[in-house]
Amino acid sequence: MKKTTALAISITTGDARPVFRQIVDQIREQIGKGNLPPDSKLPSVRALAMQLGINPNTVSRSYSELTAQGLLGARRGLGVFVLEPQQQLSDDAQQQKLEEATKGFVNEVMYLDFNPQQIADHVLAELNKIKNR
Amino acid sequence: MKKTTALAISITTGDARPVFRQIVDQIREQIGKGNLPPDSKLPSVRALAMQLGINPNTVSRSYSELTAQGLLGARRGLGVFVLEPQQQLSDDAQQQKLEEATKGFVNEVMYLDFNPQQIADHVLAELNKIKNR
DNA sequence: TTAGGTGTACTAGTTTAACTAATACACTAC
DNA sequence: GTAGTGTATTAGTTAAACTAGTACACCTAA
């Protein structure tokens, strides 16, 4: 039987993001870094809920969102697994997503005392840390 | 007497961001693009509230936040003005802000079918559009 | 001095998203 | 049949966001 991979995530009180969003973001990050390879099994919604001290429905919501994004696959009676990377969005939708994300990011960093090249280099460095690219 | 600069912003229903946050972000963007040069006068909280169909307290909240960020200066009886750019954050706080913003951005774009260089180039292009850098 | 326009602050109420709790059902492997 | 798994629903609570109303302090022009 498939062994569950430990999930090194936590909830931060004071984080502006809702709890379910924090879970979504951290799991994406773990997958992106290769700490959760395809086919690995995640903790059950009840187990992760106990680990994080939250309600199983909240965990289920996070898993549902990641499933909708194509990162996870859930099977009743069996559990939740990391999927092989597969693209859910059309080319247009991806371009739009990139535009939107970039706009938000630029809005956050535009007034910092870094020049554009420094910021772009920093983004490139962080992206290059993601193993599966 | 100083003339009020028209403010080309709007509220988007369905946007996940709260209304006051949308206003903050759009004013930052207008300033960043040079559409609101230093010393220009923004609409009063009552006028902008009417323009956007929201409560003056909500506008006041947005203006307060931008004032705290050092982008705007408010004077009772006179109005709200764009300030000369000045840095509010220490070097460490700026570095931290860049790390945090980059992490969020990377989380959003990591699974798109673009390579790191493409994404970094796109960020650089958007940053170079901001005139005051 | 007054009127009109400006920002700021407070109280009270409403709305809505997020979360919890409980429960029940469907699926799977043993 | 049992234990463990995901999924869904209902009901309740909490807190953030927003509105409405009101009042006060400041500023300029007349």
Side-chain angles (χ1 to χ4, degrees), chain B residues 80-97:
Chain B
V80 174
F81 302 86
V82 181
L83 296 179
E84 291 288 338
Q86 68 216 29
Q87 191 46 250
Q88 303 281 85
L89 299 172
S90 65
D91 286 355
D92 280 355
Q94 291 197 57
Q95 187 63 39
Q96 201 165 359
K97 179 65 179 172

Side-chain angles (χ1 to χ4, degrees), chain B residues 29-60:
Chain B
E29 184 183 339
Q30 294 291 336
I31 296 177
K33 285 177 170 173
N35 297 334
L36 289 171
D39 285 330
S40 48
K41 184 172 180 293
L42 270 66
S44 73
V45 299
R46 289 170 182 82
L48 187 56
M50 288 190 63
Q51 177 187 325
L52 299 177
I54 63 176
N55 195 272
N57 288 331
T58 305
V59 175
S60 182

